[in-house]
Amino acid sequence: MSNLQHRHLGAIAALILISLLTSWSGLPSHHAIANCWEGLLWGIADPVIGLDRLTSFVAVGLLSASIIHGTLIASLFVLATVLGTFLHLYQLNLQGAEIAIAVSSITFGAMLVMPNQFHWLIIALLGVMAGLFQGYSNGQSIIEANVIPLLAYILGNTLTQYAVVMSARIVGNLISQRKINDFLPRIINYVGFAFCAIAIVFLKISIN
């Protein structure tokens, strides 16, 4: 495993740890953005501090690994989140965004557990639908922000999401190559089970 691959794996592990800690600390989901700097910082942080969102990013990256058009899948997912944010800003209503995010995370987790590889178009369509709700939920978390700070928020959000998804894809490519030992590919299954469990908890919270 190269140093770069070690870094990608370590970065994802660190982000998941940060997300767990912030979820337990009860960080407010809504925040006011007064200027561009705050917008950029919150945009960078939001995909990480929401564990339900982070699991979707990592799952899409892992699912897009070692399949045709994998980079396109990851890119479409991120672009869909941007579109979802604009849908909220233009006051187009998407009902049940939090429930949809939890359900999509459960779906992605289950797909990671299943042994058969899915067609890239199925993953892409599911990713786009999940991304729209992710972005819409991001827009709901922003209050009292002007246009320029909002654009800074969206920029930071997009950069973080793309970095996480592509890092997860690189790690997924490494694991699928099975160059280290036979046990390593099973990690994907364990990750899938963990993501399903996390998403079920958030689904219960969203319904209640």
Side-chain angles (χ1 to χ4, degrees):
M1 187 185 297
S2 69
N3 289 333
L4 181 59
Q5 291 164 338
H6 271 297
R7 291 172 185 172
H8 282 293
L9 188 59
I12 291 175
L15 290 177
I16 292 175
L17 178 60
I18 292 171
S19 188
L20 281 169
L21 293 175
T22 53
S23 296
W24 290 339
S25 66
L27 192 69
S29 58
H30 293 76
H31 30 262
I33 298 175
N35 52 57
C36 293
W37 179 242
E38 288 183 2
L40 182 63
L41 289 180
W42 274 117
I44 292 172
D46 266 355
V48 177
I49 61 179
L51 186 58
D52 53 339
R53 292 164 174 76
L54 182 60
T55 54
S56 291
F57 302 143
V58 175
V60 170
L62 293 174
L63 287 169
S64 67
S66 300
I67 64 173
I68 188 172
H69 303 310
T71 302
L72 178 62
I73 292 172
S75 300
L76 286 174
F77 174 75
V78 174
L79 289 174
T81 62
V82 176
L83 178 59
T85 303
F86 278 108
L87 288 178
H88 179 267
L89 296 179
Y90 282 98
Q91 299 181 345
L92 298 175
N93 194 22
L94 289 181
Q95 294 288 344
E98 298 299 329
I99 295 175
I101 292 171
V103 171
S104 64
S105 295
I106 294 172
T107 303
F108 291 143
M111 292 171 72
L112 289 173
V113 173
M114 295 177 185
N116 296 328
Q117 197 173 64
F118 293 86
H119 193 277
W120 74 270
L121 190 56
I122 294 175
I123 301 174
L125 289 174
L126 290 174
V128 167
M129 288 188 290
L132 286 174
F133 284 104
Q134 293 268 10
Y136 186 84
S137 180
N138 290 340
Q140 288 180 312
S141 69
I142 308 168
I143 56 176
E144 299 177 7
N146 295 321
V147 175
I148 301 302
L150 278 175
L151 293 177
Y153 173 89
I154 293 172
L155 174 62
N157 205 276
T158 303
L159 291 175
T160 299
Q161 290 173 168
Y162 188 77
V164 172
V165 173
M166 294 308 295
S167 295
R169 184 168 184 267
I170 291 172
V171 172
N173 284 332
L174 170 68
I175 293 175
S176 65
Q177 290 169 5
R178 306 188 180 193
K179 288 185 177 180
I180 300 178
N181 53 55
D182 292 335
F183 174 75
L184 189 59
R186 299 179 193 173
I187 293 177
I188 297 293
N189 299 113
Y190 300 144
V191 169
F193 281 120
F195 285 178
C196 283
I198 292 170
I200 288 171
V201 172
F202 277 99
L203 177 60
K204 183 177 179 181
I205 294 173
S206 300
I207 292 174
N208 292 338

